[in-house]
Amino acid sequence: MITRRKLLKNLSAVPVVGGLVGTGMVSACEFNKTDPGAGTEEATRNFFEELGVTPVINAGVTMTFLSGSLMRPEVMAAINSTAHDFANMYQLQDKVGEKIAEMLNVEAAMVTSGAACAMVLGTAATITGMDLKKRRQLPDLPDPRPEVIMQKSHRYVFDQAIPTAGARIVEVDGAEEMEAAINENTVMALYFNAASGPILHEEFVAIAKRHNIPTFIDAAADVPPKENLFKFQKIGFDLITFSGGKMIRGPQSAGLLFGRKDLIEAAKFNHSPHEAPIGRPMKVNKEEIFGMYAALKAYLELDHEKEWQDWLDRIERIKTKITTIETVSGETHVSPGPANAFPSMLVSWDQEKVKMSPKEVSDALKAENPSIVTNIRRGRDGAEDRLSVGVVLLKPEQVDYVAERLAAVLSKAV
């Protein structure tokens, strides 16, 4: 049985590879072999404990406030093997971008500091092109301001990236309004893939192309399935972004921007290591660029069917443990997506028998050390419905531990 003490030890044994120790995939010693000067003190130092930070078991979804997801062993190896030498950042971004473009079958690509950064850079690219004077003016551009068209139903918190780059968002509702809204100030049309709306992908792109307006799609959290990485360039979007630190499992502060070559070159022109463009504060270090390349390569080569079956098996293991408690049931639920389109388990029970609400169970698990974070599923009326237990972000040894702790909390309420 995995005990709390063993789990805590495995969660945070090493500062660099703490997310991988204890998984059976990689060990701290294997990484230290690459650096003859690595000492044993760093290999055993517990930074979580030293700083009083509670380690988290993510039985939910990929959320930035929970540090995204855990990096793949290939990513950690890339980071560790490249941390000891300098690199010309212009050359590195170009070379990695070329390889990523080859993998994704697009004209060009670059690594950004997340999908939000990609939105700023993509917007900036459509405004400035390779014009140094315009680049220096961002975001304080003279009137009339550049305009970016969005469907009203696609407005969301992250579209703040658009005015950050100096543009104004113009809302439209339907194809007719989109056609009418395009004018000499329009620089881009932005599509939020997780939203619904009257204008679907193909029509949105077709309208923009008729007016020679670049299109950008934000699909940050929209893998799996792997096919989404190729879907949107086939439809005709000029710029596409995905988060690197979600299910691709690259560095949390990295992302991908890819598409039309002239726009990617303009995006790089607005980014670090150039001095003082709008993207300078959003720099990506060399280890993250190497790591993002390794993450994408590993993700594309992954046996996704096997991984999916492993997730389903995890749900069954947890379900077997908790359904021994009277009235408790577990149901496999696959999110329809496009964001977080993977399986999780919805847990329900008769609260007359198990005298806790889903939120109370979730709060109890969250208060533990290590903290176990789950989600609450709500009904159409907004009331608590069921407890949602995610399995895709668990390390192998955490599956049974989560099952045991969930069963223990539920049993106490009987």
Side-chain angles (χ1 to χ4, degrees):
M1 183 178 75
I2 297 294
T3 65
R4 174 183 170 277
R5 182 182 297 274
K6 287 180 181 177
L7 199 70
L8 278 170
K9 182 179 179 181
N10 288 340
L11 269 167
S12 51
V14 187
V16 176
V17 295
L20 300 170
V21 174
T23 64
M25 294 184 289
V26 69
S27 72
C29 294
E30 286 172 333
F31 276 114
N32 285 334
K33 285 176 184 175
T34 65
D35 182 2
T40 56
E41 179 184 350
E42 292 301 304
T44 57
R45 191 171 176 184
N46 188 326
F47 281 96
F48 280 89
E49 190 174 280
E50 183 175 319
L51 297 171
V53 175
T54 304
V56 171
I57 295 174
N58 191 347
V61 296
T62 55
M63 298 296 294
T64 295
F65 84 96
L66 289 176
S67 62
S69 61
L70 300 182
M71 290 180 281
R72 298 183 185 281
E74 297 91 339
V75 178
M76 297 306 304
I79 289 172
N80 191 68
S81 67
T82 59
H84 310 291
D85 292 293
F86 293 95
N88 180 304
M89 297 299 289
Y90 294 107
Q91 182 190 45
L92 177 60
Q93 184 71 274
D94 287 346
K95 293 293 186 182
V96 167
E98 288 170 7
K99 289 293 186 182
I100 289 174
E102 286 177 15
M103 287 190 278
L104 296 178
N105 299 323
V106 290
E107 291 183 8
M110 66 182 293
V111 177
T112 65
S113 59
C117 167
M119 291 173 63
V120 174
L121 296 180
T123 306
T126 64
I127 295 170
T128 70
M130 301 300 288
D131 188 320
L132 181 59
K133 181 180 178 181
K134 287 184 178 179
R135 189 185 81 175
R136 286 173 173 166
Q137 289 177 324
L138 292 184
D140 190 21
L141 292 160
D143 289 331
R145 286 175 66 190
E147 295 179 354
V148 172
I149 289 175
M150 288 187 71
Q151 296 186 71
K152 190 176 297 184
S153 60
H154 283 222
R155 293 299 305 271
Y156 65 128
V157 291
F158 294 112
D159 65 32
Q160 188 178 24
I162 307 307
T164 297
R168 182 173 75 89
I169 294 174
V170 176
E171 294 182 358
V172 299
D173 188 10
E176 188 175 333
E177 282 193 14
M178 182 174 175
E179 292 270 10
I182 295 174
N183 60 57
E184 64 274 11
N185 301 320
T186 307
V187 294
M188 190 176 81
L190 175 65
Y191 196 101
F192 178 37
N193 195 47
S196 58
I199 315 174
L200 300 182
H201 299 79
E202 290 82 0
E203 185 179 16
F204 188 85
V205 169
I207 293 170
K209 284 191 181 301
R210 280 200 294 273
H211 297 272
N212 200 28
I213 300 299
T215 50
F216 188 122
I217 186 165
D218 174 11
D222 300 351
V223 289
K226 177 184 72 173
E227 289 70 28
N228 277 357
L229 288 167
F230 305 90
K231 176 180 179 179
F232 306 114
Q233 58 264 42
K234 291 177 182 176
I235 291 174
F237 281 94
D238 298 293
L239 289 170
I240 302 151
T241 187
F242 283 87
S243 172
K246 292 184 169 63
M247 293 306 290
I248 297 176
R249 289 180 57 194
Q252 162 66 355
S253 52
L256 295 170
L257 177 64
F258 54 95
R260 216 171 80 189
K261 185 174 178 59
D262 64 317
L263 293 176
I264 296 299
E265 289 302 317
K268 289 192 289 186
F269 182 64
N270 279 280
H271 197 212
S272 181
H274 290 283
E275 293 186 357
I278 196 165
R280 176 74 179 199
M282 308 168 195
K283 66 176 66 172
V284 190
N285 67 32
K286 74 177 193 300
E287 292 82 7
E288 290 171 319
I289 294 176
F290 280 117
M292 194 63 247
Y293 163 70
L296 180 62
K297 189 172 188 297
Y299 183 77
L300 293 175
E301 293 173 353
L302 193 68
D303 185 338
H304 293 276
E305 289 185 8
K306 182 177 181 298
E307 181 182 57
W308 191 274
Q309 186 58 53
D310 176 61
W311 292 339
L312 296 178
D313 292 343
R314 291 178 175 199
I315 289 172
E316 290 304 314
R317 281 164 59 187
I318 297 174
K319 187 188 300 185
T320 297
K321 183 73 176 179
I322 63 173
T323 53
T324 59
I325 303 165
E326 187 180 6
T327 77
V328 174
S329 65
E331 173 192 345
T332 298
H333 172 74
V334 179
S335 168
N340 300 313
F342 42 69
S344 59
M345 181 174 63
L346 299 180
V347 185
S348 58
W349 57 88
D350 182 349
Q351 292 183 40
E352 294 295 320
K353 301 288 185 180
V354 180
K355 296 178 173 57
M356 290 183 80
S357 69
K359 186 178 186 305
E360 288 171 332
V361 173
S362 181
D363 288 346
L365 292 169
K366 186 178 179 181
E368 295 193 358
N369 188 3
S371 175
I372 301 174
V373 175
T374 56
N375 293 315
I376 303 298
R377 172 88 173 208
R378 297 189 180 276
R380 291 183 179 179
D381 60 356
E384 288 183 17
D385 187 4
R386 287 167 286 183
L387 182 74
S388 177
V389 179
V391 297
V392 303
L393 300 174
L394 299 179
K395 296 193 288 185
E397 73 273 16
Q398 292 174 345
V399 178
D400 291 333
Y401 182 80
V402 168
E404 289 161 8
R405 295 311 308 146
L406 176 57
V409 170
L410 292 169
S411 295
K412 286 180 181 178
V414 174

